[in-house]
Amino acid sequence: MASGLSATPLKKINLVRIAHVYYKHKNINEAKKFAQDFGFAQTAEVGKKTYYRGYGTEPFVICLEASNEDEFGGAAFVVESMEDLMQAAKTLPNECKATEIYDLSDAPGGGKCVTFYDPVDGFPFHLVYGQTPVEARDVDFPIVRFNFPKEKNRGANEFQRFKKRPAPVHKLGHFGVCVTDFAKCYDFYTKYFNFFPSELVHNDEGVNKTVFFRLNRGNDLVDHHCFFFFEGPKMHVHHSSFETHDFDTQVLGHDWLRHQGYKNCWGVGRHVMGSQIFDYWFDPSGFILEHYVDGDLLDMREPTHNTKAAPDNLHVWGPEVPATFLQ
């Protein structure tokens, strides 16, 4: 391993996409019920772990584990090659406590993994390679044709009809955490990985305190952000965000969760940075999970945007930002 954060790696570890997240729950039965109502599909149960997929090709997008504590277990990113995985195991700083490469023998899709720990706040971070994708599922979305004032796309005697149900999850889009040292975290993740700042948000003194990272994949289109963090007094996971199909699906999911008695955190609304239509919910353990649709896609022609922190920068329409949202 490298001796410390000041070491310069020979090359960056190349990440391809975000894959899945882990959460631990004291009340696993309530957590599993919420997962179904949120739109995940259970795919395997191994020991204390229950794995859920979306309707895309990832073998799983979230894993819930029965535990004595409610705890965030980290996010996983797919690396480009076995060489990248080997590099992570051998060259990350000592503070990261990177594991050797190990088999994901019990997880859907299999594959190999290296786990390391954030060098500032110690939360786990997983790198995976060689997982076997699954066949995408048809979850029977209706074909929606909008009639606009001057453009009518629905034929005579055709109707818009929807079924009340949870909003089926497609994929994991991003996750975010509160960190205790923004500058040190920013230096680490940009030095060792192909993260690129889509947005940097600064305070009144011009000091950056929030970043929305996308992956540098050259000319490939990637999500506006897959990982974000902001500085605060205590490290905690902020939320994990999952893509669903469209606005109707999202709001049907909102109503489903509301009728099941779950607590809405914030939404429905439209973000500025990333443009997503958002809907945040508290699960029974108090973790925040988001449904989103219609996010921006960027390539490396788009530069970093620098913005001063302000409430109006978070959303263009929707409910007011909850006072505790950024705590």
Side-chain angles (χ1 to χ4, degrees):
M1 290 185 184
S3 60
L5 288 181
S6 60
T8 301
L10 295 177
K11 69 180 185 68
K12 293 188 178 184
I13 298 164
N14 282 305
L15 309 179
V16 178
R17 65 184 181 276
I18 193 170
H20 50 262
V21 285
Y22 297 88
Y23 285 88
K24 297 179 180 181
H25 293 273
K26 289 187 289 188
N27 193 327
I28 193 64
N29 291 329
E30 285 189 357
K32 290 164 71 172
K33 173 66 166 58
F34 177 85
Q36 292 177 334
D37 288 327
F38 193 79
F40 299 116
Q42 184 174 329
T43 187
E45 189 168 1
V46 182
K48 294 182 178 181
K49 295 180 178 180
T50 306
Y51 297 89
Y52 296 85
R53 61 168 292 181
Y55 63 85
T57 59
E58 292 291 342
F60 69 100
V61 297
I62 191 170
C63 173
L64 306 181
E65 181 178 356
S67 176
N68 293 327
E69 299 294 334
D70 295 324
E71 186 177 0
F72 177 61
F77 282 77
V78 175
V79 299
E80 191 170 67
S81 68
M82 192 66 181
E83 288 72 24
D84 287 293
L85 206 60
M86 293 172 62
Q87 182 180 347
K90 300 301 181 183
T91 68
L92 287 175
N94 288 334
E95 296 94 319
C96 294
K97 301 177 182 178
T99 68
E100 297 296 323
I101 297 172
Y102 62 91
D103 291 328
L104 293 170
S105 54
D106 293 330
K112 306 282 187 180
C113 185
V114 166
T115 296
F116 70 89
Y117 297 85
D118 176 82
V120 176
D121 292 302
F123 58 87
F125 205 112
H126 312 281
L127 306 173
V128 299
Y129 180 73
Q131 286 189 297
T132 303
V134 294
E135 186 176 349
R137 288 179 171 173
D138 181 1
V139 285
D140 192 27
F141 293 117
I143 297 173
V144 178
R145 298 185 178 90
F146 285 97
N147 283 338
F148 299 102
K150 293 186 178 182
E151 179 185 336
K152 308 301 181 182
N153 297 303
R154 206 156 60 247
N157 307 316
E158 292 182 2
F159 307 100
Q160 303 277 48
R161 296 293 181 266
F162 302 93
K163 179 171 64 176
K164 292 185 177 182
R165 63 173 180 176
V169 163
H170 174 229
K171 69 169 188 175
L172 171 64
H174 63 265
F175 83 108
V177 294
C178 176
V179 300
T180 59
D181 189 327
F182 176 90
K184 192 173 181 180
C185 283
Y186 185 89
D187 178 65
F188 169 73
Y189 287 105
T190 54
K191 180 179 290 185
Y192 285 90
F193 302 93
N194 60 323
F195 287 116
F196 181 85
S198 294
E199 312 273 354
L200 282 167
V201 183
H202 58 266
N203 61 16
D204 291 341
E205 290 73 40
V207 179
N208 291 323
K209 294 295 182 180
T210 301
V211 64
F212 292 85
F213 278 133
R214 69 180 185 266
L215 294 178
N216 180 349
R217 301 296 301 168
N219 293 327
D220 293 345
L221 291 176
V222 298
D223 289 331
H224 172 274
H225 59 278
C226 57
F227 177 32
F228 78 90
F229 54 80
F230 61 95
E231 186 171 286
K234 183 180 179 181
M235 182 274 153
H236 63 275
V237 63
H238 189 267
H239 72 269
S240 295
S241 181
F242 300 86
E243 184 179 43
T244 188
H245 179 61
D246 64 7
F247 185 56
D248 281 295
T249 304
Q250 184 179 34
V251 178
L252 285 165
H254 178 100
D255 279 356
W256 182 272
L257 290 166
R258 179 167 56 86
H259 289 144
Q260 300 301 314
Y262 298 111
K263 183 180 178 181
N264 181 248
C265 172
W266 186 31
V268 178
R270 170 79 79 167
H271 277 309
V272 176
M273 292 176 280
S275 302
Q276 301 98 326
I277 301 176
F278 62 83
D279 192 25
Y280 297 91
W281 289 84
F282 291 107
D283 76 4
S285 299
F287 294 117
I288 301 173
L289 272 65
E290 177 192 15
H291 283 136
Y292 80 91
V293 299
D294 194 32
D296 294 331
L297 296 175
L298 308 180
D299 62 22
M300 288 307 294
R301 293 174 297 176
E302 187 67 22
T304 299
H305 294 252
N306 293 276
T307 307
K308 182 180 176 181
D312 288 346
N313 292 339
L314 287 179
H315 72 309
V316 66
W317 59 261
E320 291 302 310
V321 182
T324 60
F325 187 71
L326 292 179
Q327 294 182 356

